[in-house]
Amino acid sequence: MVERSDIRVVRCGGSKVNLRPPIISTDSRFVLCASGDLVKVYSTRTEEWLHSLQGHTNQVTGIALNPANHLQVYSCSADGTVKLWDFIDGILIKTFIIGYPLFAIYVSEKHEGVLFLHVSMATDSKNECFQLVAVHPPKSAEQEVEAKEMSVVSSHISSNPSCTAFGRGGEYIAFARRLQLNVYFFRKQKTCSFSLKATDKKGAKNAFTCIACHPTDDCIATGHEDGKIRLWRNFIHKKEYTYSTQHWHHNAVNTLCFTPEGTHLLSGGIESVLVQWQYGAGNRKEFLPRLGGSILHISASSDGQLFCTSHSDNKITVIESSFKVCGVIQGLVKGDAVLTDLMIDPRSIALVLNGKPGHLQFYSLLRDKHLYNLDIVQQEYIYEAGLDQFEVVKAAFDIKGSWLATVEERGQKSSDLEFFLKLWAFDERTQSFVLNTTITAAHTDRIISMCFSSSEETTMLVTTAEDGQFKAWCQGADADTQQDQNFWSCDFVGSYHNLKPTNCSFSADSSLLAVSFQEVITIWSPETWEMLTTLCQPPGVIRDLCFGRLSCSKYLLGTTTRNLLCCWNLLTCALEWSSSVEVSKLQPDPLSENVAAFSYQSKHTDLFVFKPSEPRPLFTNKNVCSEKVHRAVFVPREEPLNNCDESSQWLNRSQLYFLTQNMDLLTFSTATEEDRMLSSSKQLVIDDSVAVTPFYLLLGKHRQQQQKLNTQSHPAADKPQQPQGSVTIKELLHTPAHVLPAASVLCSMFVNSLLISNTGVQQDPLREEMDSEKEEEDSEEEMEACDSQQELRVQGSVDEVTLKLSKAQERELKRVRKTDFSWMAGLIDSKP
Amino acid sequence: MASFKPTKVQFLPKLGEKVTEETLYWKNYKSPVQIKEFGAITKIDFSPLPPHNYAVTASTRIHIYGPHSQEPIRSFTRFRDTAYGGRFRGDGKLLVAGSEEGLIRLFDISGRVALRQFKGHSKAVHMTSFLSDGFRVVSGSDDLSCRVWDVPSAVELSSLTEHTDYIRALAPSKLNPDLFVTGSYDHTVKVFDMRSGSSVMTMQHGHPVECVLLYPSEALLVSTGGRYVKVWDLLKGGQELVSLKNHHKTVTCACLSSVGNKLLTGSLDRHVKVYNSSYKVVHNFDCDASILSMAIAPDDEALAVGMTNGVLSVRHRRHQKDKEMLTSRRRRGPSYQVFVKGKNFVPRQDDFLVSKPVKQYLRKYDKQLKSFEVSKALDTALQTWTRTSKPDVTVVVIIELNRRGTLKNALAGRNEESLTKILNFLLKHIFDPRFSRPLLMVGDIVLDLYQQVFHQSPVVERLLQRLMEVLGREAELQQELLQVLGILDTLFTSLTPRKEALAAPPVAQESQLQAA
């Protein structure tokens, strides 16, 4: 993907966290999930992303805790490797090279040292054939080991990894494929298979969708396409097997999971209801409804206290065993399609696009974090396949971010089309958008595009629709309702020869409105609603339309469906230049004259950045990605970069994000930016393994303040000090409790450090720091001396004691003097 | 875990009257207090002094009521025949009244016996009034004359006989003690000046004049008669400003509110109408019988209406205080106290607030929708009360069921009774443009579902017959409307090209100029 030396295409917004079931660590403190080519580690209590395990070069397709060591995790990837990690510290321990793309990994306590892998043995891509193989990773000290020793367990298994499960204590493995359930007994080395009929008279669909085995009992639970759950028993004897059926889900059961004690069975499907069946009690069940998207996976922690469900809307929910949701880990929601444009909320500089069904999501690009969902439709979402529901199809912000306009739509057929235009006002008090006006019949047909005027004083919304009209909406212009509240009402209705409008755009100062009707562009004055002129360039229907900015504000750009990019001069009303490019998306930068054009040609997308004043591109990037790009947005930077390089200058003030058809959010990053990020990541030494406690936060705050102080007062002393400060605090937190001074001592010190000291004391730490700098190297071994030293301090009569010191004691004292106090300095220094 | 989102009832704009501040002002009167008098109430007059007692002339007596009492605080009963037109003097201490036998009596408010009697009229005196200096009384009589009397000496100062029919309306000027306006059954309104001793202005009302009224500025004059209320501009020499025809029977009385000088008229058609400053009706009071007289207190605190059946109905303004009293009384009830227990506790600064989870209360149909009981939800929405008073709720439930794709299931399997309910609802609301889309869909589904069994029930069959007729009529109407639209379109298109041709050239010039 890398074309130029200094500008790279970077993936952002995270990948799916719901591809494979998340796992909870044995101590229930962490949740691990596969996300793209990473394994992400989250805290269960704070839902924060702690760190990620980087190393795979392709999609991670499975993770499993090492049964031999509960602090290690196996991960397998489509790049053909299995890696063993220490997930607390994020260290890669070993890499086993298998050589085939892997799709899932299973481990069992009974089969220690054996990995069961899901391998694709496809010779060609058409008839994929999955095999379950057992791999014995060779024991060697090297980091990278080739594990070629494989034995096939079964060669006909389903591509769905949730159709395979280990039975009681790992004695057998059950796997289902379409209508057949196979159980392989390790001791007997024998496979029993049971099959069901495809359908019966009542129209049941019996294909297996998932499987789970009871941890202590000989029982296999299987989920089926029609929502039935079957519990199989007595399958050891092939002839005398029995099964019981339970039915609650109305659609396919996506996942099944037994709790570790085996008292309950959890199931989930498209309904987004977590169902807890009591094992052995027939039909007694509990529900946890409305969890979000449909449930894809469920996993339980080894002590049974926590459950994790992963949902289709890229979300992991952490649920307590008392059926209470205690945490939500939300990634960037990428549905099947993003219908709205990519937008930027001008207030929070958050990326806004379709989120959960019927919602708009606000995603902070700076922190790479999901902020919140704004409920647009405000209706109960029914999780049912094939149901036609309201979806947000258009949205637009005004220039200040105080108004949001949305269009929600339902009905694929135009005969039963329903849509609403809604206007939302930003409420300062609640810091969110509040519904102001709902317009039920804004147009008689589907709304195609809409935009706000770009002037600061008056806000105006223009919508164009398939009924051949465009309408201008203004706030509070309605004379009929003599009320103080400012509702929106229609100000003007315009049309042009009954042609269907395609797009609309306001000029930078809102003095002109351009509305394109098929091949014709009409220019209107929003003040008087007079049509000023028409521009026409016959071949092809106008697709995109945008005005130039700043010095290029006299130009109007348009793209047509017939591979033409045109630029008109609005002063002469004549075509300035045109070029034959197939442009799928035209995106102007709000902060500069630049315009980005994505062009899709011969199965890859190229990017051109140009100024409307000249037809020569400033920057070209061939083969940005292989899919079509329909959505793009310029995001203003917090602080402008100062790139001198001509080709990357256009990225100085804002950053270009774009969304491909595969729902990948990509961006361009420059070399200088990456340098800056790298240096900042070096500076910020975050101890991820430490759980976030109030104490930790307090220390962290102090450390930050200290850093600030340092940069202000001693710019020269900045660099050596910083790592030290963090090291010392780390020592304070990491020193085993038995070598730390008594808590009472620490407490008084800690409290002292919070008090505002006089200047005399403030010089002390500086001196101490100087000492510590010199004696840094031997600080470690002398940590133990710390406690004795503390005791002396507390007694406060050091001089008297030293009079009667033995030699040994004297030596001790010398060591004490050399002790590293810098961590204390860190505490004291942070007082202001 | 998100909670259930209840079905949202769309706020649909109400058709018809717009709610304005004025309608709210006039709506803010309590329900009337009814007082029974002995005969038809011909005149009500408020004392100009607080507490604004009012004199009610009915039959052979005049009662004076206090602002809130229902019993007269004073009554003048020394009339031998019917009394007419009791009016206060500007200081509220004297009262003058005419009578059927032609005598005019002058009373002290605190006394009982008449202080003066003015004799001279040969027929009934319907209208009497003090001139604004307070020393003269003017009277209008059925003997076609209009006389001015001196109060101290009780002698007639002058007699004006310019009218040719009964004089039934009289209004003295408040700014000039020598001017007064009379209205007569000879269809004229005349302005008399005592200095010249004759009329200075004559206006033709066109109907027998029942009442005349001067605006406080005395630039505008209101006369009522027949079904018409006319406003005349005196400064323009008596030009007719507006002619209002909002009543459908004779307008008998008019008065002005003190706040904003809003005109109120009462009529035999039993309505009191309130006009705004641009003479549009903003409010309407309904009464039980034909209205003969009406007066509003100087501070708009009370509106008194006298009717032919002798009932005096007094409406008092509702105050914020009253509302509070109502609510506070309710708060005293024990059942409510349970709910508000500790609600008005103000937390101190260092208190730690533990908020209680707010319980979500759902409507019945929402509860049923939540548990996917679609038929039951539809039944709930079709309950008589909801169906009749809140059809929008019923329609919203229907829309919600359709969104869930379960409308067909909900409509299926119904008996004759509930099907009749649905069909009646359709008949009533299918033409409401707000509801027609979902209801047409319901109609389609009902027809699909019950096609086979319709003939079994004559009731349902009859309803369907009616539905068909009504739909046919509506379709015809729509077609006619479309034809009208077509006509209008051709008219508009014949107009537009000219406009465009006019508009286009200057723009081209402008752009050329800019380019230059």
Side-chain angles (χ1 to χ4, degrees), chain A residues 288-290 359 375 378-380 382 387-390 410 415-417 435 440 480 482 532 571, chain B residues 1-5 8 10 18 20 370 372 399-400 402-405 437 500 507 511 514-515:
Chain A
L288 186 59
R290 284 181 284 280
H359 289 63
D375 188 359
Q378 297 183 331
Q379 261 177 353
E380 179 75 2
I382 311 294
L387 201 59
D388 185 15
Q389 311 216 44
F390 275 104
R410 190 183 92 94
S415 61
D416 49 28
L417 176 77
L435 185 61
T440 43
D480 295 341
Q482 296 166 347
L532 299 177
L571 297 182
Chain B
M1 189 182 101
S3 55
F4 180 81
K5 290 175 198 158
K8 222 174 177 193
Q10 281 279 335
K18 296 275 184 315
T20 59
K370 189 181 172 186
F372 292 86
I399 292 173
E400 172 69 14
N402 179 45
R403 184 181 73 90
R404 292 172 170 225
R437 253 178 82 143
E500 258 188 6
V507 177
S511 54
Q514 277 177 346

Side-chain angles (χ1 to χ4, degrees), chain A residues 713-732:
Chain A
S713 54
H714 320 285
D718 187 18
K719 268 174 193 160
Q721 246 174 359
Q722 264 175 2
Q724 239 182 46
S726 62
V727 162
T728 49
I729 283 172
K730 205 182 218 171
E731 271 170 9
L732 174 67

Side-chain angles (χ1 to χ4, degrees), chain B residues 427-492:
Chain B
L427 267 174
K428 196 172 171 195
H429 292 287
I430 203 159
F431 307 121
D432 195 327
R434 302 171 295 172
F435 305 146
S436 60
R437 253 178 82 143
L439 292 187
L440 280 172
M441 199 162 51
V442 171
D444 277 349
I445 294 174
V446 166
L447 285 180
D448 282 352
L449 283 171
Y450 298 99
Q451 227 168 13
Q452 311 294 326
V453 289
F454 273 140
H455 60 271
Q456 290 173 7
S457 157
V459 184
V460 173
E461 217 170 357
R462 216 176 304 130
L463 280 173
L464 277 173
Q465 205 76 40
R466 267 179 64 199
L467 193 62
M468 199 176 76
E469 278 168 30
V470 172
L471 277 172
R473 240 182 288 145
E474 181 71 13
E476 270 172 37
L477 201 72
Q478 296 272 354
Q479 205 168 2
E480 273 171 41
L481 280 174
L482 282 175
Q483 281 169 359
V484 173
L485 267 180
I487 296 168
L488 285 176
D489 267 353
T490 48
L491 280 175
F492 281 131

Side-chain angles (χ1 to χ4, degrees), chain A residues 483-503:
Chain A
Q483 277 168 337
D484 302 333
Q485 280 166 302
N486 285 323
F487 294 118
W488 288 69
S489 56
C490 187
D491 187 39
F492 178 73
V493 183
S495 62
Y496 183 79
H497 292 303
N498 254 342
L499 289 173
K500 208 184 267 183
T502 50
N503 214 327

Side-chain angles (χ1 to χ4, degrees), chain B residues 116 118 135-137 148-157:
Chain B
R116 299 277 188 280
F118 306 116
F135 305 124
R136 284 176 290 175
V137 166
V148 181
W149 313 82
D150 185 33
V151 173
S153 59
V155 294
E156 184 186 315
L157 293 178

Side-chain angles (χ1 to χ4, degrees), chain A residues 499-514:
Chain A
L499 289 173
K500 208 184 267 183
T502 50
N503 214 327
C504 59
S505 172
F506 270 101
S507 68
D509 58 350
S510 293
S511 61
L512 292 176
L513 168 71

Side-chain angles (χ1 to χ4, degrees), chain B residues 94-146:
Chain B
L94 292 181
L95 183 90
V96 67
S99 70
E100 184 69 40
E101 74 255 26
L103 267 179
I104 300 163
R105 291 181 178 84
L106 188 81
F107 298 94
D108 184 12
I109 288 299
S110 46
R112 218 165 256 284
V113 187
L115 293 179
R116 299 277 188 280
Q117 292 201 350
F118 306 116
K119 284 177 205 163
H121 281 296
S122 56
K123 279 187 179 168
V125 178
H126 275 267
M127 278 293 154
T128 55
S129 179
F130 284 96
L131 286 176
S132 59
D133 57 5
F135 305 124
R136 284 176 290 175
V137 166
V138 61
S139 62
S141 162
D142 285 0
D143 62 2
L144 317 185
S145 69
C146 188

Side-chain angles (χ1 to χ4, degrees), chain A residues 4 6-7 618-619 644-651:
Chain A
R4 306 284 293 234
D6 51 350
I7 296 188
L618 289 171
F619 170 80
C644 306
D645 189 10
E646 203 187 325
S647 65
S648 53
Q649 248 174 5
W650 63 280
L651 280 171

